[in-house]
């Protein structure tokens, strides 16, 4: 029973932890687990890591530290060497010195032992007298000092100097190697990574001989020398050898060297300080990166979700989130998506309305055609049968015109979007169309068509517009033919005037017909709306001409409006006027 209870408690504890993890993941999912957030965070931290790695290398700092250590040891060595030289004694009663030899010596030059007349000049270094001096000068500095005689034999080593009553302590090696923690392993890895590999390895010479140290041999010639080595553990050791001289005679060499790792400890301390600063900077960078990502990823996520809902086709009209107040790329994207969505909904509504209008307009001739076809077998004489055949032919022609105009209207948007706009000389286009209409009018109603510009001798370049010449020609042809159908049979007149405003080209088409009913001025641009002259046969027009014309003009960024030409008396009209306004080139 106790085992079952423990099992249930363990299962309950794991469930609680899983729920907590799920909540944390949901809460941080929009930030930590976002692809954009991860990229921003990675790039920011990568730049910071590159900078920190460069700082951790601290090559110049390390070189400067080594140079400062060398100068310090050199100064310390000269002081100690002077004190040692002062403690040396002359053990002979007479000294023979050749003045000529002394005069031959250059500044800073000394004669090594065993040359010429200075053999009898002997200043031996007494270890018993030098040891107390060396102990007092070396103890506070933690520097190792060694004194070699003129034959590079070791006389004294500060490691083996101790005063009376001093207790010597030596650290015994550990029984088992101490296991390093993760931070210590990381520090060791960084130290090895940036360790210099161009330095010689320091090795203790057998018997303590100084012959294996190049700096000692150089100092025996009277010139101080320095050398930087690394221990077998990779720690840097700086050595300085200074000659011990008295009266230019080299008595021996003082060699000072740093403890293994004291420079590396300073560098490691600096690295740890840099890593602490990096930890703070990385935390701040991560927080700022997630804040930055939230200002980018969250709006993009909302825009994406709204676009997906629009694509799936929800019942109600979906609104794209508005971020236009941001004044940045996301704001521009929001505005573009909103405009695109509004245009899409407008296109869908136009298609639905167009389909409804087409269905209604096609039903009328189809209904008439069906009635005529069904009545035809019941006709009792040839006259009735011929009249029914005329109705059938009329309805077929009407259907043909409707289908042609519907096809033209449905292709219009795609055609205008697919073809590139080019320069159109509107003055020449109007003149050509007016001439063609005059020629075609010989077989129709006789109409006087006049083309003129608002200003006399106005250059053609004032009437350049960007667009599609065939479609603009279709608009002008529709307006001319529409005006022709309303002018009187005799003395019919159509006046086409071109004028120019600062940014637009304006074309007006005036006729001397009866005008337009005031309530129908906007209705005439609706699809399938017809208001024909009383003498014209029914079904000769589909009612799409003006609707298609306005659609073409608006696709070119212009406007098509209609108005009446006022007469001399109130309420009297002298004709109708259609105004086409198009953006001018440049």
């Amino acid at each position: 029973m106790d085992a079952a209870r423990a099992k249930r408690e363990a299962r309950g504890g794991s469930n609680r932890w899983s729920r907590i993890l799920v909540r944390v993941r949901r809460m941080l999912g929009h930030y930590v687990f976002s692809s954009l957030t991860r990229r921003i965070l990675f790039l920011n931290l990568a730049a910071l890591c590159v900078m920190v790695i460069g700082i951790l290398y601290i090559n110049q700092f390390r070189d400067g530290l080594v140079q400062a250590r060398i100068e310090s040891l050199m100064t310390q060595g000269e002081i100690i060497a002077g004190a040692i030289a002062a403690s040396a004694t002359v053990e002979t009663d007479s000294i023979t010195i050749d003045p000529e030899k002394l005069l031959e010596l250059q500044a800073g030059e000394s004669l090594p032992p065993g040359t010429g007349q200075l053999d009898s000049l002997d200043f031996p270094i007494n270890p018993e007298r030098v040891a107390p001096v060396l102990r007092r000068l070396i103890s506070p500095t933690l520097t190792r000092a060694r004194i070699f005689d003129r034959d590079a034999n070791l006389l004294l080593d500060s490691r083996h100097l101790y005063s009376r009553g001093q207790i010597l302590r030596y650290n015994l090696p550990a029984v088992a190697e101490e296991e390093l923690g993760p931070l210590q392993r990381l520090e060791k890895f960084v130290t090895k990574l940036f360790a210099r590999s161009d330095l010689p390895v320091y090795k203790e010479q057998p018997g303590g001989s100084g012959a294996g140290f190049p700096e000692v041999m150089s100092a025996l010639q009277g010139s101080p020398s320095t050398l930087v080595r690394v221990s077998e553990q990779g720690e840097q050791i700086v050595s300085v050898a200074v000659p011990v001289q008295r009266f230019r005679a080299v008595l021996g060499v003082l060699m000072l060297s740093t403890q293994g790792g004291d420079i590396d400890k300073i560098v490691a301390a600096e690295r740890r300080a840099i890593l602490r600063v990096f930890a703070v900077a990385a935390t701040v960078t991560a927080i700022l990166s997630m804040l930055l990502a939230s200002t980018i990823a969250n709006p993009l996520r909302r825009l994406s979700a709204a676009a997906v809902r629009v694509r799936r086709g929800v019942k109600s009209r979906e609104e794209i989130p508005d971020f236009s107040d941001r004044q940045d790329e996301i704001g521009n994207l929001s505005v573009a998506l909103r405009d695109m969505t509004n245009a899409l909904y407008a296109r869908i509504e136009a298609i639905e309305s167009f389909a409804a209008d087409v269905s209604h307009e096609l039903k009328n001739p189809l209904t008439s055609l069906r009635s005529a076809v069904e009545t035809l077998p019941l006709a009792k004489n040839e006259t009735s049968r011929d009249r029914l055949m005329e109705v059938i032919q009329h309805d077929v022609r009407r259907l043909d015109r409707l289908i042609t105009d519907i096809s033209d209207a449905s292709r219009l948007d795609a055609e205008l979007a697919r073809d590139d706009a080019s320069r159109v000389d509107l003055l020449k286009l109007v003149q050509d169309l007016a001439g063609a209409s005059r020629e075609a009018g010989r077989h129709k109603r006789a109409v006087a068509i006049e083309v003129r510009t608002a200003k006399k001798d106005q250059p053609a370049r004032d009437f350049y517009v960007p667009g599609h010449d065939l479609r603009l020609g279709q608009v002008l042809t529709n307006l001319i033919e529409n005006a022709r159908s309303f002018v009187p049979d005799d003395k019919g007149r159509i006046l086409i005037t071109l004028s120019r405003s600062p940014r637009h080209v304006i074309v007006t088409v005036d006729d001397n017909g009866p005008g337009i009913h005031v309530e129908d001025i906007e209705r005439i641009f609706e699809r399938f709306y017809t208001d024909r002259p009383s003498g014209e046969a029914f079904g000769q027009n589909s009612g799409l001409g003006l609707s298609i014309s306005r659609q073409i003009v608006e696709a070119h960024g212009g406007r098509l409006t209609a108005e009446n030409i006022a007469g001399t008396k109130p309420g009297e009209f002298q004709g109708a006027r259609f105004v086409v306004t198009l953006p001018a080139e440049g």
Side-chain angles (χ1 to χ4, degrees), residues 418-445:
R418 183 171 56 249
D419 297 338
D420 294 332
S422 58
R423 174 188 290 177
V424 178
D425 185 348
L426 208 57
L427 178 59
K428 185 176 183 303
L429 180 63
V430 170
Q431 291 172 344
D432 293 344
L433 291 174
S437 183
R438 292 190 195 100
E439 293 295 326
R442 293 179 180 179
H443 308 288
K444 300 179 182 179
R445 186 178 302 177

PDB file of all heavy atoms in Angstrom, residues 418-445:
ATOM      1  N   ARG A 418      -1.341  43.070 -66.850  1.00  0.00           N
ATOM      2  CA  ARG A 418      -0.276  42.294 -67.478  1.00  0.00           C
ATOM      3  C   ARG A 418       0.567  43.119 -68.444  1.00  0.00           C
ATOM      4  O   ARG A 418       1.772  42.959 -68.528  1.00  0.00           O
ATOM      5  CB  ARG A 418      -0.901  41.091 -68.200  1.00  0.00           C
ATOM      6  CG  ARG A 418       0.114  40.161 -68.831  1.00  0.00           C
ATOM      7  CD  ARG A 418      -0.540  38.897 -69.330  1.00  0.00           C
ATOM      8  NE  ARG A 418      -1.620  39.165 -70.257  1.00  0.00           N
ATOM      9  CZ  ARG A 418      -2.904  38.959 -70.005  1.00  0.00           C
ATOM     10  NH1 ARG A 418      -3.281  38.482 -68.836  1.00  0.00           N
ATOM     11  NH2 ARG A 418      -3.843  39.231 -70.908  1.00  0.00           N
ATOM     12  N   ASP A 419      -0.055  44.031 -69.179  1.00  0.00           N
ATOM     13  CA  ASP A 419       0.669  44.808 -70.192  1.00  0.00           C
ATOM     14  C   ASP A 419       1.324  46.031 -69.566  1.00  0.00           C
ATOM     15  O   ASP A 419       0.750  46.682 -68.679  1.00  0.00           O
ATOM     16  CB  ASP A 419      -0.300  45.256 -71.295  1.00  0.00           C
ATOM     17  CG  ASP A 419      -0.902  44.075 -72.036  1.00  0.00           C
ATOM     18  OD1 ASP A 419      -0.279  42.990 -71.986  1.00  0.00           O
ATOM     19  OD2 ASP A 419      -1.982  44.234 -72.633  1.00  0.00           O
ATOM     20  N   ASP A 420       2.526  46.352 -70.039  1.00  0.00           N
ATOM     21  CA  ASP A 420       3.239  47.530 -69.557  1.00  0.00           C
ATOM     22  C   ASP A 420       2.713  48.777 -70.248  1.00  0.00           C
ATOM     23  O   ASP A 420       2.406  48.773 -71.449  1.00  0.00           O
ATOM     24  CB  ASP A 420       4.748  47.400 -69.828  1.00  0.00           C
ATOM     25  CG  ASP A 420       5.364  46.274 -69.017  1.00  0.00           C
ATOM     26  OD1 ASP A 420       4.832  45.977 -67.937  1.00  0.00           O
ATOM     27  OD2 ASP A 420       6.367  45.690 -69.482  1.00  0.00           O
ATOM     28  N   ALA A 421       2.613  49.846 -69.455  1.00  0.00           N
ATOM     29  CA  ALA A 421       2.145  51.121 -70.017  1.00  0.00           C
ATOM     30  C   ALA A 421       3.256  51.756 -70.849  1.00  0.00           C
ATOM     31  O   ALA A 421       4.448  51.599 -70.562  1.00  0.00           O
ATOM     32  CB  ALA A 421       1.734  52.066 -68.887  1.00  0.00           C
ATOM     33  N   SER A 422       2.851  52.484 -71.894  1.00  0.00           N
ATOM     34  CA  SER A 422       3.797  53.189 -72.756  1.00  0.00           C
ATOM     35  C   SER A 422       3.262  54.599 -73.007  1.00  0.00           C
ATOM     36  O   SER A 422       2.141  54.946 -72.612  1.00  0.00           O
ATOM     37  CB  SER A 422       3.980  52.431 -74.080  1.00  0.00           C
ATOM     38  OG  SER A 422       2.726  52.290 -74.745  1.00  0.00           O
ATOM     39  N   ARG A 423       4.084  55.415 -73.671  1.00  0.00           N
ATOM     40  CA  ARG A 423       3.666  56.783 -73.953  1.00  0.00           C
ATOM     41  C   ARG A 423       2.578  56.783 -75.036  1.00  0.00           C
ATOM     42  O   ARG A 423       2.711  56.135 -76.074  1.00  0.00           O
ATOM     43  CB  ARG A 423       4.851  57.614 -74.405  1.00  0.00           C
ATOM     44  CG  ARG A 423       4.463  59.021 -74.850  1.00  0.00           C
ATOM     45  CD  ARG A 423       5.637  59.737 -75.476  1.00  0.00           C
ATOM     46  NE  ARG A 423       6.635  60.070 -74.481  1.00  0.00           N
ATOM     47  CZ  ARG A 423       7.805  60.650 -74.773  1.00  0.00           C
ATOM     48  NH1 ARG A 423       8.099  60.924 -76.043  1.00  0.00           N
ATOM     49  NH2 ARG A 423       8.669  60.934 -73.829  1.00  0.00           N
ATOM     50  N   VAL A 424       1.530  57.535 -74.755  1.00  0.00           N
ATOM     51  CA  VAL A 424       0.413  57.665 -75.706  1.00  0.00           C
ATOM     52  C   VAL A 424       0.255  59.138 -76.056  1.00  0.00           C
ATOM     53  O   VAL A 424       0.100  59.981 -75.156  1.00  0.00           O
ATOM     54  CB  VAL A 424      -0.897  57.111 -75.115  1.00  0.00           C
ATOM     55  CG1 VAL A 424      -2.040  57.296 -76.109  1.00  0.00           C
ATOM     56  CG2 VAL A 424      -0.743  55.638 -74.741  1.00  0.00           C
ATOM     57  N   ASP A 425       0.313  59.449 -77.350  1.00  0.00           N
ATOM     58  CA  ASP A 425       0.058  60.810 -77.825  1.00  0.00           C
ATOM     59  C   ASP A 425      -1.455  60.960 -77.959  1.00  0.00           C
ATOM     60  O   ASP A 425      -2.054  60.540 -78.951  1.00  0.00           O
ATOM     61  CB  ASP A 425       0.769  61.039 -79.160  1.00  0.00           C
ATOM     62  CG  ASP A 425       0.651  62.473 -79.643  1.00  0.00           C
ATOM     63  OD1 ASP A 425      -0.165  63.235 -79.060  1.00  0.00           O
ATOM     64  OD2 ASP A 425       1.349  62.840 -80.602  1.00  0.00           O
ATOM     65  N   LEU A 426      -2.072  61.548 -76.936  1.00  0.00           N
ATOM     66  CA  LEU A 426      -3.527  61.591 -76.877  1.00  0.00           C
ATOM     67  C   LEU A 426      -4.122  62.481 -77.973  1.00  0.00           C
ATOM     68  O   LEU A 426      -5.198  62.182 -78.507  1.00  0.00           O
ATOM     69  CB  LEU A 426      -3.970  62.086 -75.493  1.00  0.00           C
ATOM     70  CG  LEU A 426      -5.330  61.595 -75.002  1.00  0.00           C
ATOM     71  CD1 LEU A 426      -5.372  60.078 -74.991  1.00  0.00           C
ATOM     72  CD2 LEU A 426      -5.617  62.141 -73.607  1.00  0.00           C
ATOM     73  N   LEU A 427      -3.419  63.552 -78.340  1.00  0.00           N
ATOM     74  CA  LEU A 427      -3.929  64.440 -79.392  1.00  0.00           C
ATOM     75  C   LEU A 427      -4.012  63.696 -80.724  1.00  0.00           C
ATOM     76  O   LEU A 427      -5.035  63.752 -81.430  1.00  0.00           O
ATOM     77  CB  LEU A 427      -3.036  65.676 -79.504  1.00  0.00           C
ATOM     78  CG  LEU A 427      -3.407  66.672 -80.601  1.00  0.00           C
ATOM     79  CD1 LEU A 427      -4.827  67.206 -80.406  1.00  0.00           C
ATOM     80  CD2 LEU A 427      -2.397  67.822 -80.656  1.00  0.00           C
ATOM     81  N   LYS A 428      -2.947  62.994 -81.082  1.00  0.00           N
ATOM     82  CA  LYS A 428      -2.936  62.237 -82.335  1.00  0.00           C
ATOM     83  C   LYS A 428      -3.976  61.118 -82.303  1.00  0.00           C
ATOM     84  O   LYS A 428      -4.662  60.847 -83.299  1.00  0.00           O
ATOM     85  CB  LYS A 428      -1.548  61.661 -82.580  1.00  0.00           C
ATOM     86  CG  LYS A 428      -1.389  60.943 -83.916  1.00  0.00           C
ATOM     87  CD  LYS A 428       0.042  60.484 -84.099  1.00  0.00           C
ATOM     88  CE  LYS A 428       0.234  59.832 -85.478  1.00  0.00           C
ATOM     89  NZ  LYS A 428      -0.663  58.698 -85.696  1.00  0.00           N
ATOM     90  N   LEU A 429      -4.102  60.449 -81.128  1.00  0.00           N
ATOM     91  CA  LEU A 429      -5.068  59.367 -81.004  1.00  0.00           C
ATOM     92  C   LEU A 429      -6.492  59.889 -81.216  1.00  0.00           C
ATOM     93  O   LEU A 429      -7.296  59.271 -81.938  1.00  0.00           O
ATOM     94  CB  LEU A 429      -4.929  58.712 -79.624  1.00  0.00           C
ATOM     95  CG  LEU A 429      -5.876  57.549 -79.324  1.00  0.00           C
ATOM     96  CD1 LEU A 429      -5.634  56.391 -80.275  1.00  0.00           C
ATOM     97  CD2 LEU A 429      -5.709  57.084 -77.874  1.00  0.00           C
ATOM     98  N   VAL A 430      -6.816  61.033 -80.617  1.00  0.00           N
ATOM     99  CA  VAL A 430      -8.164  61.607 -80.780  1.00  0.00           C
ATOM    100  C   VAL A 430      -8.406  62.000 -82.230  1.00  0.00           C
ATOM    101  O   VAL A 430      -9.494  61.749 -82.799  1.00  0.00           O
ATOM    102  CB  VAL A 430      -8.341  62.807 -79.837  1.00  0.00           C
ATOM    103  CG1 VAL A 430      -9.635  63.567 -80.156  1.00  0.00           C
ATOM    104  CG2 VAL A 430      -8.366  62.342 -78.386  1.00  0.00           C
ATOM    105  N   GLN A 431      -7.401  62.614 -82.857  1.00  0.00           N
ATOM    106  CA  GLN A 431      -7.570  63.024 -84.254  1.00  0.00           C
ATOM    107  C   GLN A 431      -7.789  61.816 -85.159  1.00  0.00           C
ATOM    108  O   GLN A 431      -8.650  61.841 -86.061  1.00  0.00           O
ATOM    109  CB  GLN A 431      -6.352  63.837 -84.704  1.00  0.00           C
ATOM    110  CG  GLN A 431      -6.257  65.207 -84.042  1.00  0.00           C
ATOM    111  CD  GLN A 431      -4.955  65.911 -84.345  1.00  0.00           C
ATOM    112  OE1 GLN A 431      -3.979  65.278 -84.804  1.00  0.00           O
ATOM    113  NE2 GLN A 431      -4.897  67.226 -84.097  1.00  0.00           N
ATOM    114  N   ASP A 432      -7.023  60.745 -84.940  1.00  0.00           N
ATOM    115  CA  ASP A 432      -7.180  59.537 -85.766  1.00  0.00           C
ATOM    116  C   ASP A 432      -8.556  58.904 -85.559  1.00  0.00           C
ATOM    117  O   ASP A 432      -9.217  58.482 -86.525  1.00  0.00           O
ATOM    118  CB  ASP A 432      -6.082  58.525 -85.433  1.00  0.00           C
ATOM    119  CG  ASP A 432      -4.699  59.008 -85.850  1.00  0.00           C
ATOM    120  OD1 ASP A 432      -4.628  59.957 -86.657  1.00  0.00           O
ATOM    121  OD2 ASP A 432      -3.701  58.455 -85.355  1.00  0.00           O
ATOM    122  N   LEU A 433      -8.998  58.824 -84.306  1.00  0.00           N
ATOM    123  CA  LEU A 433     -10.297  58.208 -84.035  1.00  0.00           C
ATOM    124  C   LEU A 433     -11.441  59.060 -84.593  1.00  0.00           C
ATOM    125  O   LEU A 433     -12.449  58.521 -85.091  1.00  0.00           O
ATOM    126  CB  LEU A 433     -10.473  58.015 -82.519  1.00  0.00           C
ATOM    127  CG  LEU A 433      -9.566  56.962 -81.880  1.00  0.00           C
ATOM    128  CD1 LEU A 433      -9.736  56.968 -80.368  1.00  0.00           C
ATOM    129  CD2 LEU A 433      -9.879  55.574 -82.426  1.00  0.00           C
ATOM    130  N   ALA A 434     -11.298  60.403 -84.484  1.00  0.00           N
ATOM    131  CA  ALA A 434     -12.340  61.272 -85.043  1.00  0.00           C
ATOM    132  C   ALA A 434     -12.426  61.104 -86.559  1.00  0.00           C
ATOM    133  O   ALA A 434     -13.523  61.044 -87.141  1.00  0.00           O
ATOM    134  CB  ALA A 434     -12.054  62.723 -84.671  1.00  0.00           C
ATOM    135  N   GLY A 435     -11.269  60.989 -87.238  1.00  0.00           N
ATOM    136  CA  GLY A 435     -11.265  60.774 -88.680  1.00  0.00           C
ATOM    137  C   GLY A 435     -11.896  59.449 -89.057  1.00  0.00           C
ATOM    138  O   GLY A 435     -12.690  59.356 -90.014  1.00  0.00           O
ATOM    139  N   ALA A 436     -11.557  58.403 -88.307  1.00  0.00           N
ATOM    140  CA  ALA A 436     -12.143  57.088 -88.581  1.00  0.00           C
ATOM    141  C   ALA A 436     -13.645  57.110 -88.341  1.00  0.00           C
ATOM    142  O   ALA A 436     -14.432  56.477 -89.086  1.00  0.00           O
ATOM    143  CB  ALA A 436     -11.481  56.030 -87.704  1.00  0.00           C
ATOM    144  N   SER A 437     -14.097  57.830 -87.312  1.00  0.00           N
ATOM    145  CA  SER A 437     -15.530  57.908 -87.031  1.00  0.00           C
ATOM    146  C   SER A 437     -16.266  58.682 -88.124  1.00  0.00           C
ATOM    147  O   SER A 437     -17.402  58.360 -88.460  1.00  0.00           O
ATOM    148  CB  SER A 437     -15.758  58.572 -85.673  1.00  0.00           C
ATOM    149  OG  SER A 437     -17.119  58.591 -85.339  1.00  0.00           O
ATOM    150  N   ARG A 438     -15.620  59.697 -88.686  1.00  0.00           N
ATOM    151  CA  ARG A 438     -16.249  60.421 -89.804  1.00  0.00           C
ATOM    152  C   ARG A 438     -16.446  59.482 -90.991  1.00  0.00           C
ATOM    153  O   ARG A 438     -17.491  59.500 -91.664  1.00  0.00           O
ATOM    154  CB  ARG A 438     -15.386  61.601 -90.210  1.00  0.00           C
ATOM    155  CG  ARG A 438     -15.297  62.722 -89.174  1.00  0.00           C
ATOM    156  CD  ARG A 438     -14.614  63.956 -89.758  1.00  0.00           C
ATOM    157  NE  ARG A 438     -14.218  64.887 -88.703  1.00  0.00           N
ATOM    158  CZ  ARG A 438     -12.993  64.995 -88.220  1.00  0.00           C
ATOM    159  NH1 ARG A 438     -12.033  64.197 -88.687  1.00  0.00           N
ATOM    160  NH2 ARG A 438     -12.727  65.873 -87.286  1.00  0.00           N
ATOM    161  N   GLU A 439     -15.422  58.673 -91.288  1.00  0.00           N
ATOM    162  CA  GLU A 439     -15.528  57.743 -92.411  1.00  0.00           C
ATOM    163  C   GLU A 439     -16.615  56.708 -92.163  1.00  0.00           C
ATOM    164  O   GLU A 439     -17.419  56.383 -93.050  1.00  0.00           O
ATOM    165  CB  GLU A 439     -14.188  57.041 -92.644  1.00  0.00           C
ATOM    166  CG  GLU A 439     -13.075  57.969 -93.121  1.00  0.00           C
ATOM    167  CD  GLU A 439     -13.370  58.559 -94.494  1.00  0.00           C
ATOM    168  OE1 GLU A 439     -14.001  57.837 -95.317  1.00  0.00           O
ATOM    169  OE2 GLU A 439     -13.007  59.720 -94.734  1.00  0.00           O
ATOM    170  N   ALA A 440     -16.659  56.180 -90.949  1.00  0.00           N
ATOM    171  CA  ALA A 440     -17.683  55.169 -90.641  1.00  0.00           C
ATOM    172  C   ALA A 440     -19.066  55.779 -90.595  1.00  0.00           C
ATOM    173  O   ALA A 440     -20.072  55.115 -90.851  1.00  0.00           O
ATOM    174  CB  ALA A 440     -17.359  54.504 -89.302  1.00  0.00           C
ATOM    175  N   GLY A 441     -19.154  57.097 -90.288  1.00  0.00           N
ATOM    176  CA  GLY A 441     -20.452  57.752 -90.161  1.00  0.00           C
ATOM    177  C   GLY A 441     -21.153  57.986 -91.471  1.00  0.00           C
ATOM    178  O   GLY A 441     -22.325  58.395 -91.479  1.00  0.00           O
ATOM    179  N   ARG A 442     -20.472  57.786 -92.587  1.00  0.00           N
ATOM    180  CA  ARG A 442     -21.135  57.953 -93.878  1.00  0.00           C
ATOM    181  C   ARG A 442     -22.288  56.971 -94.056  1.00  0.00           C
ATOM    182  O   ARG A 442     -23.258  57.244 -94.764  1.00  0.00           O
ATOM    183  CB  ARG A 442     -20.126  57.768 -95.011  1.00  0.00           C
ATOM    184  CG  ARG A 442     -19.070  58.868 -95.072  1.00  0.00           C
ATOM    185  CD  ARG A 442     -18.093  58.616 -96.205  1.00  0.00           C
ATOM    186  NE  ARG A 442     -17.081  59.667 -96.268  1.00  0.00           N
ATOM    187  CZ  ARG A 442     -16.080  59.695 -97.167  1.00  0.00           C
ATOM    188  NH1 ARG A 442     -16.003  58.714 -98.074  1.00  0.00           N
ATOM    189  NH2 ARG A 442     -15.211  60.669 -97.151  1.00  0.00           N
ATOM    190  N   HIS A 443     -22.144  55.808 -93.427  1.00  0.00           N
ATOM    191  CA  HIS A 443     -23.187  54.799 -93.529  1.00  0.00           C
ATOM    192  C   HIS A 443     -24.132  54.854 -92.338  1.00  0.00           C
ATOM    193  O   HIS A 443     -25.004  53.992 -92.198  1.00  0.00           O
ATOM    194  CB  HIS A 443     -22.557  53.398 -93.619  1.00  0.00           C
ATOM    195  CG  HIS A 443     -21.520  53.292 -94.708  1.00  0.00           C
ATOM    196  ND1 HIS A 443     -21.854  53.269 -96.042  1.00  0.00           N
ATOM    197  CD2 HIS A 443     -20.162  53.227 -94.657  1.00  0.00           C
ATOM    198  CE1 HIS A 443     -20.765  53.174 -96.777  1.00  0.00           C
ATOM    199  NE2 HIS A 443     -19.710  53.147 -95.950  1.00  0.00           N
ATOM    200  N   LYS A 444     -23.911  55.790 -91.422  1.00  0.00           N
ATOM    201  CA  LYS A 444     -24.771  55.955 -90.254  1.00  0.00           C
ATOM    202  C   LYS A 444     -25.353  57.363 -90.290  1.00  0.00           C
ATOM    203  O   LYS A 444     -25.574  57.940 -91.345  1.00  0.00           O
ATOM    204  CB  LYS A 444     -23.941  55.737 -88.972  1.00  0.00           C
ATOM    205  CG  LYS A 444     -23.305  54.356 -88.872  1.00  0.00           C
ATOM    206  CD  LYS A 444     -22.498  54.239 -87.596  1.00  0.00           C
ATOM    207  CE  LYS A 444     -21.812  52.883 -87.502  1.00  0.00           C
ATOM    208  NZ  LYS A 444     -21.001  52.765 -86.282  1.00  0.00           N
ATOM    209  N   ARG A 445     -25.575  57.904 -89.088  1.00  0.00           N
ATOM    210  CA  ARG A 445     -26.108  59.248 -88.973  1.00  0.00           C
ATOM    211  C   ARG A 445     -25.013  60.273 -89.247  1.00  0.00           C
ATOM    212  O   ARG A 445     -23.912  60.163 -88.700  1.00  0.00           O
ATOM    213  CB  ARG A 445     -26.667  59.435 -87.568  1.00  0.00           C
ATOM    214  CG  ARG A 445     -27.382  60.742 -87.333  1.00  0.00           C
ATOM    215  CD  ARG A 445     -27.936  60.785 -85.925  1.00  0.00           C
ATOM    216  NE  ARG A 445     -28.858  59.659 -85.681  1.00  0.00           N
ATOM    217  CZ  ARG A 445     -29.430  59.426 -84.509  1.00  0.00           C
ATOM    218  NH1 ARG A 445     -29.172  60.207 -83.482  1.00  0.00           N
ATOM    219  NH2 ARG A 445     -30.248  58.404 -84.371  1.00  0.00           N
TER     220      ARG A 445
END
